Amino acid sequence: MATPLHSSPSAPEENRSDFLEEGPHAPTGERRVNRAGPDDARGRASRLAVAVRGLFGRDGRESGEEAAPAGDSGRVLYARIGEFLFDNALEPTPLHYELAHSYFDGSNRKLVDAVERALERGDMTAETVELIMAECRTDMTAERLSSLVDEAQAGLKTIAGVVRQSGADAMAYGEALETSAAVLEDTALEPHQSLAALLDLTRSMIEKTREAENELRLTGKRMSALRTNLAEARRVAQSDVLTGLANRRAFEDRLKRAVNQARETHRPLALAFCDIDHFKTINDTHGHEVGDRILRYVARQLAAASGNNCFVARHGGEEFVMLFENVTVEEAFDIVEACRADLASRRLIARKSGDPIGQVTFSAGVAGLTGEESGREMLRHADGALYRAKSEGRDRVLIAQR
């Protein structure tokens, strides 16, 4: 789990809890610090862990204690969630409630473990919650996906079965009416008896119709929930867990569509291949937790600077790609260069340790779509320009040479 850091006032709003800065963007006045120290955080974590084990242990209670009455369980859970949010200075947002509820419920072991590690470090911040929820929401295993497909098939079979049965019932109803009419003509039944027979037959058909409608309504609700789950599965499959950006797979899909559209509309298309400089040194010096925070920070900087005509994705490791639609290669260069210069002007400090991280920079290569080349070829040209930027000293943006 990443160590939370602070940002300067000049950074985007979502970054302000990531870094403290020195240098051109340094805030004036005193440096912000946590109200609670490490000992306080550990004490809170210890007390909270005891409370959780006492209320939601394996058997639901400590030895010699009785479980809370069923009617009080919701009230107790509500109180625990509120205490959890208050003790960790978390705003009562839906995401924070979801994490706290899942933690006390204990059904997601991965989430519980992640929360407990964060509590032990005194690191239960809003940013940590985002990380934990992102990680724990991406467990879309092949087994789960297969289960969703099975649910879809079962729902379709149910609907088909209800439609077939409704058709058969309607046909049987029509035949029964014809038979009843013929019988009534051949018998000396009283009119009220004839009417009663027809009413019974009609009531039976109405009841069957209602049953079919209820079944279709319930199946429709299940299918709606299933569509939501499948949409989430697709989102997860195309998202990078750490940064929240699109992943390489999503980028490649978008690149193919963008190339085809650019050729059809005769509009420009450009992309940038970016790589954080000396990232291994950052990890080796400050640890992978700070490294993760740097990746998230740079991802946000790129996304914030790119605008609406740009699709930003994490390509892998410390590499990012930016796809600019209806933007010339020169315009894309200006955007990426401005982002590079802004990041290079910052001096970052880890919030918890106070250790200076210093300057974080990236290098980038920019290429535009030309001729009949494919998206992969354009990406290769941008990668070549990135390689030149690295070899010429890093912390620079170069346009691909053609």
Side-chain angles (χ1 to χ4, degrees):
M1 193 58 56
T3 303
L5 307 165
H6 277 307
S7 76
S8 74
S10 62
E13 180 66 28
E14 63 270 27
N15 289 340
R16 291 189 176 180
S17 58
D18 284 349
F19 295 99
L20 283 169
E21 293 188 4
E22 294 179 340
H25 293 278
T28 58
E30 295 185 359
R31 182 178 300 175
R32 288 184 295 169
V33 297
N34 282 348
R35 290 178 298 172
D39 292 338
D40 295 331
R42 282 193 291 270
R44 276 203 319 270
S46 177
R47 292 194 301 273
L48 191 57
V50 170
V52 171
R53 285 194 295 270
L55 183 62
F56 297 99
R58 291 184 179 180
D59 59 355
R61 53 190 174 275
E62 293 282 4
S63 176
E65 291 185 359
E66 294 183 0
D72 294 338
S73 59
R75 186 187 301 274
V76 173
L77 178 58
Y78 180 81
R80 294 294 183 185
I81 291 174
E83 181 182 356
F84 177 89
L85 298 181
F86 181 81
D87 285 348
N88 292 282
L90 294 172
E91 295 293 328
T93 65
L95 186 68
H96 296 165
Y97 270 111
E98 182 181 353
L99 176 129
H101 186 281
S102 298
Y103 175 53
F104 288 116
D105 177 72
S107 57
N108 188 327
R109 189 66 246 173
K110 180 178 180 181
L111 182 144
V112 172
D113 290 342
V115 170
E116 290 184 348
R117 288 196 301 271
L119 290 171
E120 289 173 1
R121 293 196 307 269
D123 181 26
M124 185 49 65
T125 64
E127 291 76 19
T128 301
V129 172
E130 290 181 7
L131 274 175
I132 293 175
M133 296 305 295
E135 291 174 0
C136 294
R137 281 175 170 172
T138 56
D139 292 333
M140 185 55 63
T141 62
E143 181 180 353
R144 174 57 178 155
L145 190 57
S146 176
S147 174
L148 291 176
V149 172
D150 290 343
E151 289 179 31
Q153 292 176 339
L156 292 174
K157 288 180 180 178
T158 298
I159 292 173
V162 171
V163 171
R164 285 196 302 269
Q165 186 61 47
S166 297
D169 289 341
M171 184 177 293
Y173 177 62
E175 293 175 352
L177 282 178
E178 292 180 2
T179 302
S180 297
V183 170
L184 291 174
E185 290 177 358
D186 296 338
T187 62
L189 292 175
E190 294 294 331
H192 72 275
Q193 293 176 313
S194 301
L195 182 59
L198 291 174
L199 287 174
D200 288 341
L201 186 62
T202 302
R203 287 194 188 99
S204 175
M205 186 58 194
I206 291 174
E207 183 61 30
K208 290 181 179 179
T209 301
R210 285 175 177 170
E211 291 176 358
E213 288 177 350
N214 289 334
E215 184 66 27
L216 287 174
R217 188 179 300 108
L218 292 174
T219 303
K221 289 181 178 179
R222 289 194 293 267
M223 294 296 286
S224 178
L226 181 61
R227 282 195 296 271
T228 300
N229 290 336
L230 287 172
E232 176 67 10
R234 181 178 182 180
R235 185 195 67 78
V236 166
Q238 295 185 334
S239 298
D240 174 61
V241 176
L242 180 64
T243 64
L245 295 177
N247 61 17
R248 182 171 181 172
R249 177 192 301 175
F251 172 78
E252 290 178 349
D253 291 343
R254 182 66 173 262
L255 179 60
K256 290 178 182 178
R257 296 196 302 270
V259 168
N260 292 334
Q261 186 173 9
R263 288 210 176 94
E264 291 174 0
T265 60
H266 303 289
R267 292 180 176 178
L269 181 69
L271 64 81
F273 207 149
C274 310
D275 184 277
I276 300 177
D277 297 325
H278 303 295
F279 186 70
K280 184 178 184 301
T281 301
I282 294 174
N283 272 335
D284 292 343
T285 304
H286 302 284
H288 290 280
E289 294 177 355
V290 171
D292 287 348
R293 282 290 176 186
I294 294 295
L295 287 172
R296 282 168 53 89
Y297 186 79
V298 173
R300 287 171 172 170
Q301 295 292 101
L302 294 176
S306 57
N308 295 329
N309 292 332
C310 182
F311 183 82
V312 184
R314 184 183 179 192
H315 199 257
E318 64 271 26
E319 296 176 340
F320 298 88
V321 281
M322 306 170 71
L323 181 61
F324 297 89
E325 298 183 61
N326 198 25
V327 174
T328 66
V329 65
E330 291 79 11
E331 292 170 335
F333 170 85
D334 290 340
I335 294 172
V336 179
E337 170 60 21
C339 186
R340 181 210 61 77
D342 178 67
L343 180 64
S345 69
R346 301 168 183 269
R347 299 297 182 270
L348 308 180
I349 299 172
R351 184 184 69 181
K352 287 296 182 182
S353 65
D355 294 335
I357 298 172
Q359 184 185 43
V360 175
T361 64
F362 70 84
S363 303
V366 183
L369 182 66
T370 60
E372 295 300 319
E373 70 181 6
S374 66
R376 287 184 179 274
E377 289 172 330
M378 182 168 62
L379 186 62
R380 187 166 62 249
H381 287 304
D383 189 30
L386 170 61
Y387 180 81
R388 285 196 298 115
K390 290 284 190 181
S391 63
E392 292 180 15
R394 296 182 171 83
D395 187 22
R396 63 195 64 205
V397 182
L398 297 179
I399 295 178
Q401 297 175 343
R402 301 299 181 101

